[in-house]
Amino acid sequence: QVQLVESGGGLVQAGGSLRLSCAASTRTFKTYAMAWFRQAPEKEREFVAAITWSGGLTYYADSVQGRFFIFRDTTKNMQYLQMNSLKPEDTAVYYCATKGGYGGGVRRGYDYWGQGTQVTVSS
């Protein structure tokens, strides 16, 4: 069992920055990748970014490419999402997720999820 706890959300003006953090509670789960997803009101949850745990390969949704950056600290079992040049359309609840195998690729098929943290970008 893995528990994920996100932090760092909040209210920011358009053009501003936020950094989200995600702490994983276990060191026994063999992580293949960790990711961030988001869900805006009345919309489906969507993939934002992912990072492979051992190699550090990164993947981004087109909508955040060049503005968001995902990175991890394997010694602390933490992952982060640096969000720059935020736009009102980035407003959503952001979820941290982790998976133990490649099945489904890095954009789907995650095993464990956090509770989410709200990010609100005002215009």
Side-chain angles (χ1 to χ4, degrees):
Q1 189 74 11
V2 178
Q3 290 188 331
L4 302 173
V5 179
E6 303 98 336
S7 61
L11 173 64
V12 64
Q13 289 188 332
S17 298
L18 280 175
R19 178 178 292 184
L20 305 183
S21 301
C22 175
S25 66
T26 179
R27 294 186 181 276
T28 60
F29 180 73
K30 187 172 175 58
T31 303
Y32 170 73
M34 294 191 75
W36 292 94
F37 288 75
R38 67 186 181 187
Q39 187 167 19
E42 301 181 354
K43 292 188 177 181
E44 293 187 354
R45 187 164 55 189
E46 64 175 358
F47 169 81
V48 175
I51 186 166
T52 60
W53 202 244
S54 61
L57 298 177
T58 57
Y59 304 83
Y60 296 95
D62 289 344
S63 59
V64 306
Q65 181 79 46
R67 299 188 298 122
F68 290 11
F69 301 93
I70 187 171
F71 56 102
R72 88 272 194 244
D73 184 335
T74 59
T75 64
K76 297 180 179 179
N77 253 18
M78 298 280 295
Q79 71 151 342
Y80 306 89
L81 185 68
Q82 177 66 40
M83 305 185 294
N84 301 325
S85 302
L86 282 161
K87 305 175 181 180
E89 51 263 44
D90 294 319
T91 295
V93 177
Y94 283 70
Y95 297 91
C96 171
T98 187
K99 63 187 305 183
Y102 178 76
V106 296
R107 296 172 187 265
R108 60 185 58 83
Y110 281 79
D111 302 306
Y112 298 98
W113 296 82
Q115 293 299 307
T117 184
Q118 177 70 46
V119 171
T120 302
V121 184
S122 63
S123 57

